[in-house]
Amino acid sequence: MSSNLHNLSTYNPDVLPSKEVVANQKYGIIVADWNSVITYKLLDGAVEKLKECGAVNIDVIHVPGTFELTYGARLLEEKGVYDAIIVIGCVIQGDTPHFDYVCGGVTQGITTLNATKGYCPVIFSVLTVNNMEQAEERAGGKLGNKGIEGAITAIRMASLR
């Protein structure tokens, strides 16, 4: 493990809009059920942080796996009612190239949504890790919770609009 790893879930609250502003925004979360022992921890972190920051309008949609996050996000985005959408997934390296295809596909899919659709920002809270230990470290462990990071990023990006 590299010595430069740190908890990325810390942030400066002064860069966030007021709770009143966040309360008037709508957030969507798409979460993959595959690797749910990890993704549900990320989901809990995101929802808790959004609420802590003032959000009251949060919709959560479940999809089977990480690859399906792009489709779920597109469906929500096209409704035109969300200020930001967070996609949550976890892909753990295995013995086949499946990892590469899933990671590449979802990354490109979310990038395309952000670059071409533009209804609202789609925030990438997908873990792409080598093993379960790395996933646990990023789902509430010593490296923080990527779901919390996604919530903070969603709030900041929604305020750009």
Side-chain angles (χ1 to χ4, degrees):
M1 182 168 300
S2 175
S3 62
N4 65 350
L5 295 179
H6 62 281
N7 184 328
L8 300 175
S9 298
T10 59
Y11 64 96
N12 178 357
D14 295 334
V15 301
L16 298 179
S18 70
K19 286 185 177 186
E20 292 78 20
V21 169
V22 176
N24 288 311
Q25 295 173 331
K26 187 172 179 91
Y27 294 90
I29 301 175
I30 310 295
V31 61
D33 290 335
W34 191 260
N35 289 322
S36 62
V37 69
I38 299 298
T39 60
Y40 291 4
K41 289 178 185 177
L42 301 174
L43 173 63
D44 289 345
V47 170
E48 288 171 20
K49 185 54 68 177
L50 286 170
K51 288 180 177 179
E52 179 184 309
C53 291
V56 293
N57 297 308
I58 305 166
D59 293 335
V60 176
I61 308 298
H62 291 259
V63 296
T66 296
F67 198 80
E68 291 77 31
L69 291 172
T70 301
Y71 182 76
R74 190 193 79 191
L75 290 179
L76 283 190
E77 187 181 44
E78 288 178 347
K79 290 182 178 185
V81 299
Y82 294 94
D83 292 283
I85 297 168
I86 305 166
V87 296
I88 296 175
C90 177
V91 186
I92 300 172
Q93 178 70 57
D95 295 331
T96 68
H98 180 75
F99 174 87
D100 298 322
Y101 298 128
V102 173
C103 294
V106 73
T107 300
Q108 185 60 46
I110 298 306
T111 299
T112 299
L113 286 177
N114 279 315
T116 61
K117 297 295 181 184
Y119 298 117
C120 71
V122 180
I123 310 306
F124 192 82
S125 288
V126 176
L127 299 181
T128 57
V129 295
N130 292 320
N131 53 52
M132 184 59 81
E133 179 184 359
Q134 289 179 345
E136 290 168 345
E137 288 173 345
R138 292 157 177 81
K142 65 183 176 182
L143 297 178
N145 183 311
K146 186 79 170 167
I148 291 171
E149 293 174 43
I152 296 303
T153 302
I155 292 168
R156 292 188 64 195
M157 292 302 291
S159 71
L160 291 178
R161 302 175 75 205

